[in-house]
Amino acid sequence: MAHRWTNDLTHADITPKSVFLNRRQIMAGLAGLGLAGLAAPAKAKVELVPSDWEVITQYNNFYEFGTDKSDPAKHAHMLSTSPWTITIDGMVDRPGDYNVADIMSKMTIEERIYRFRCVEAWSMVVPWNGFELKDLLDLVGVQADAKYVAMETLFRPEEMPGQKYQTIKWPYVEGLRLDEAMHPLTIMASGIYGKTIPNQNGAPLRLVVPWKYGFKSIKSVVRITLTDQEPTTSWNTANAREYKFYSNVNPSVDHPRWSQSSERPIGGGLFTKRKPTLMFNGYEKEVASLYEGMDLRKNF
Ligand SMILES: Nc1nc2c(c(=O)[nH]1)N[C@H]1C(S)=C(S)[C@@H](COP(=O)(O)O)O[C@H]1N2
Ligand SMILES: [Mo]
């Protein structure tokens, strides 16, 4: 796989014309790239206007740096992200400590413009740069018995001041079912708008699962473990009644304390209208088959 991402890529370079289309993207990622119009000319063009850089990088949830939306942008400069190792272990053929720079040199970096929907009912559109998690998992060789992927964030309270408080149990942990992790829409992001991902957004590598609530998209990952047990997740540990494992965006299953039927786009000013939340955050066509036969009211 070639490394074909540069740091000086500008947003003008990532218009549909220059987006590299491989077969997998054409089959599964077009809607995610905002290019559905190309695949189905008869259908209305899907408009995904990326949120402003300032919005994406200054309105954040990253409790390791504090619980205010402005805390991560204020404090995340304290985090040193180089060198950075990700331990990949469990049910894999080639377990080990993988240096992020080495991983990056083997991955194909693509532009993915995705909707992003927090469980708190706000949303953005983010032009990520990243690689498919599947490519990393293929590199380490997932064993036949593995059923889930568990991930963990760095624990380093000297550099992550929010970790001095037990707001949630550290380290932050998340997980996916293996088929969700292998889905072509699931990426590890290393950039935004063609720039290296800022610390507050989860440098050097963070998960992005666009059809799930934002908290599944774990930041600053240091461990990836393949397992046959459903992984523990931070928000389920914090409040099992409100947050369960799947956390798929679903406008018809409300949070116990608020409606999930609509969302507030961030960055449009004080009078921005709420917009309806879409099933699987607009990726229903791509991911609904993963949940065939499942009761999504029980498995929320
Ligand atoms: N390690 C870690 N990852 C995390 C979080 C966190 O507090 N710690 N917050 C989650 C939540 S609730 C959301 S909405 C997204 C926010 O991502 P963004 O700040 O890049 O928009 O990150 C998710 N990943
Ligand atoms: Mo969130």
Side-chain angles (χ1 to χ4, degrees):
M1 274 169 288
H3 181 66
R4 47 177 173 67
W5 176 65
T6 62
N7 253 325
D8 44 30
L9 198 70
T10 68
H11 193 57
D13 297 322
I14 55 178
T15 51
K17 235 192 325 190
S18 63
V19 171
F20 180 82
L21 295 175
N22 62 32
R23 193 183 144 273
R24 231 177 10 208
Q25 285 172 317
I26 293 167
M27 301 307 288
L30 278 176
L33 289 160
L35 298 174
L38 292 181
K43 240 185 99 194
K45 197 164 167 271
V46 176
E47 288 282 347
L48 276 186
V49 180
S51 306
D52 288 343
W53 169 263
E54 289 70 24
V55 168
I56 297 170
T57 62
Q58 291 173 32
Y59 186 97
N60 300 100
N61 273 334
F62 200 166
Y63 278 18
E64 284 84 341
F65 296 103
T67 54
D68 277 5
K69 296 289 183 279
S70 59
D71 281 334
K74 270 186 220 147
H75 304 301
H77 63 91
M78 294 170 69
L79 176 65
S80 146
T81 60
S82 174
W84 190 279
T85 359
I86 301 184
T87 302
I88 307 183
D89 59 6
M91 301 169 136
V92 294
D93 293 335
R94 288 170 290 281
D97 291 345
Y98 288 83
N99 182 285
V100 164
D102 290 345
I103 292 175
M104 295 299 289
S105 72
K106 296 193 178 76
M107 294 292 120
T108 301
I109 306 300
E110 299 168 6
E111 171 82 8
R112 298 287 181 96
I113 302 172
Y114 284 161
R115 294 180 200 85
F116 188 88
R117 171 63 159 80
C118 175
V119 74
E120 298 162 340
W122 53 264
S123 67
M124 297 180 186
V125 175
V126 185
W128 304 105
N129 311 94
F131 57 84
E132 292 185 10
L133 176 56
K134 176 186 191 299
D135 289 342
L136 178 58
L137 295 177
D138 286 347
L139 190 78
V140 297
V142 175
Q143 294 179 348
D145 293 344
K147 293 190 176 64
Y148 297 91
V149 181
M151 293 196 193
E152 197 177 295
T153 294
L154 179 71
F155 179 71
R156 195 185 285 164
E158 321 86 79
E159 295 184 9
M160 298 174 121
Q163 287 182 332
K164 296 195 174 106
Y165 310 94
Q166 276 297 334
T167 40
I168 55 175
K169 191 169 173 273
W170 312 114
Y172 194 99
V173 288
E174 257 303 338
L176 296 172
R177 220 170 55 188
L178 185 59
D179 57 345
E180 299 175 324
M182 296 297 246
H183 193 280
L185 286 177
T186 302
I187 61 167
M188 297 300 291
S190 57
I192 295 174
Y193 272 114
K195 300 189 180 110
T196 300
I197 193 168
N199 286 0
Q200 59 266 35
N201 293 91
L205 274 180
R206 64 88 61 83
L207 179 69
V208 178
V209 196
W211 70 93
K212 293 180 179 282
Y213 291 119
F215 64 84
K216 297 296 285 184
S217 293
I218 181 172
K219 295 176 170 182
S220 304
V221 170
V222 291
R223 184 182 289 271
I224 300 177
T225 306
L226 278 290
T227 162
D228 58 2
Q229 307 290 315
E230 186 179 287
T232 303
T233 66
S234 286
W235 283 102
N236 181 260
T237 301
N239 191 331
R241 196 179 71 93
E242 298 189 352
Y243 308 104
K244 287 189 59 167
F245 180 74
Y246 283 92
S247 306
N248 292 315
V249 175
N250 188 340
S252 61
V253 177
D254 287 339
H255 186 278
R257 290 180 284 134
W258 58 84
S259 164
Q260 293 292 24
S261 68
S262 71
E263 63 201 50
R264 181 172 57 97
I266 303 296
L270 206 54
F271 301 106
T272 312
K273 274 215 216 99
R274 294 182 75 86
K275 62 178 193 190
T277 288
L278 304 171
M279 185 63 195
F280 295 114
N281 204 24
Y283 303 99
E284 182 168 17
K285 194 158 53 74
E286 290 85 353
V287 302
S289 63
L290 298 177
Y291 309 103
E292 242 160 39
M294 258 178 68
D295 182 342
L296 298 176
R297 289 192 168 275
K298 281 194 191 129
N299 298 287
F300 60 83

